Amino acid sequence: MDLSKIFIIFSLMVSFTSATSVIDFCVADFNFPVTPAGYPCRNPANLTVDDFVFSGLSVAGNTSNIFNVGVTAAFDLTFPALNGLGISLARLDIGVGGVVPIHSHRVSEVILMIEGTIIAGFIGSDNTAYYKTLNKGDIMIFPHTLLHFQVNVGDAPALAFVSLNSANPGFQFITTSIGANDLPTEIVQRITLFDAAQVRRVKRLFGGTN
Ligand SMILES: *[C@@H]1O[C@H](CO)[C@@H](O)[C@H](O)[C@H]1NC(C)=O
Ligand SMILES: *[C@@H]1O[C@H](CO)[C@@H](O)[C@H](O)[C@H]1NC(C)=O
């Protein structure tokens, strides 16, 4: 990388990291790598209102998967105007019997129920479980980093929207992460207490090797 390019990236990062005090917004420029503070900014001179509108949440997500859930995200990569603003939104379509499997992320989440009936919950760091049946209009908080889940317990598909206080919340689904990696099965057994057949099953499901 030549020096002038390094300088451009550096100056974009400097202007970005003080985003809250000196500029109104910082629509992500994917020509540059992401930084701990997000992406550098696109030139405001060539933005239009359409850069601040995202219509992707108007359609139901695809629930044809083992969890019977469709998650449609308005995060920085899909909606670059969120970059640097510490906010994002996602749509959850949970089929009958479907779940959002247990997961965590770096930031807090609030869920707003639109249709259907779910049980939603999280597990505190002292292993206390907080869970409750939610119906249309209910909202619930999942505090930052804590493991949490949603289960459709109704007889119809459930629809909810979730908002998170980061443009890139960093989702980590436990079972998927355990199954999708290339750690040797024996190590996974030892660190999870799963038996070998269970480890091989989740590795098959989520594409892990070894
Ligand atoms: C808009 O800005 C980006 C840099 O942020 C640049 O790559 C692009 O060429 C610009 N487009 C126009 C039409 O000026
Ligand atoms: C939904 O996802 C499944 C599994 O990935 C895929 O086979 C199917 O084509 C998708 N359906 C639509 C409408 O995109």
Side-chain angles (χ1 to χ4, degrees):
M1 189 182 294
D2 65 45
L3 271 181
S4 62
K5 201 162 182 192
I6 290 172
F7 174 75
I8 291 169
I9 292 176
F10 179 72
S11 52
L12 286 168
M13 283 171 62
V14 169
S15 63
F16 176 77
T17 50
S18 50
T20 51
S21 57
V22 300
I23 58 175
D24 290 339
F25 45 75
C26 177
V27 177
D29 187 340
F30 296 129
N31 292 313
F32 300 98
V34 70
T35 77
Y39 289 91
C41 315
R42 281 182 54 195
N43 182 353
N46 66 28
L47 297 174
T48 73
V49 64
D50 290 334
D51 290 300
F52 298 92
V53 175
F54 178 77
S55 300
L57 302 190
S58 59
V59 287
N62 186 343
T63 58
S64 298
N65 52 64
I66 188 156
F67 296 117
N68 195 5
V69 67
V71 179
T72 313
F75 295 161
D76 54 7
L77 286 177
T78 52
F79 188 18
L82 295 175
N83 183 51
L85 298 181
I87 192 168
S88 60
L89 198 68
R91 171 181 175 136
L92 305 181
D93 291 278
I94 315 176
V96 176
V99 304
V100 179
I102 193 156
H103 66 282
S104 71
H105 31 67
R106 294 184 279 263
V107 295
S108 300
E109 168 180 337
V110 57
I111 188 170
L112 168 62
M113 287 298 297
I114 306 295
E115 281 169 21
T117 303
I118 67 170
I119 289 177
F122 65 88
I123 302 172
S125 58
D126 63 356
N127 292 331
T128 303
Y130 300 84
Y131 65 105
K132 190 173 171 70
T133 301
L134 304 182
N135 291 296
K136 180 175 181 169
D138 288 337
I139 70 172
M140 181 171 175
I141 294 292
F142 307 103
H144 54 97
T145 74
L146 297 182
L147 292 169
H148 59 286
F149 60 86
Q150 290 95 23
V151 181
N152 185 348
V153 292
D155 53 14
L159 172 63
F161 287 88
V162 295
S163 184
L164 299 103
N165 55 328
S166 168
N168 187 339
F171 278 67
Q172 192 161 37
F173 292 89
I174 291 188
T175 317
T176 309
S177 292
I178 289 171
N181 67 72
D182 60 3
L183 281 172
T185 293
E186 196 212 325
I187 291 181
V188 179
Q189 282 182 254
R190 292 177 62 185
I191 61 178
T192 61
L193 302 181
F194 289 178
D195 65 33
Q198 288 168 326
V199 175
R200 282 196 293 268
R201 175 169 176 266
V202 292
K203 279 184 177 283
R204 262 198 314 277
L205 281 173
F206 301 112
T209 57
N210 294 329

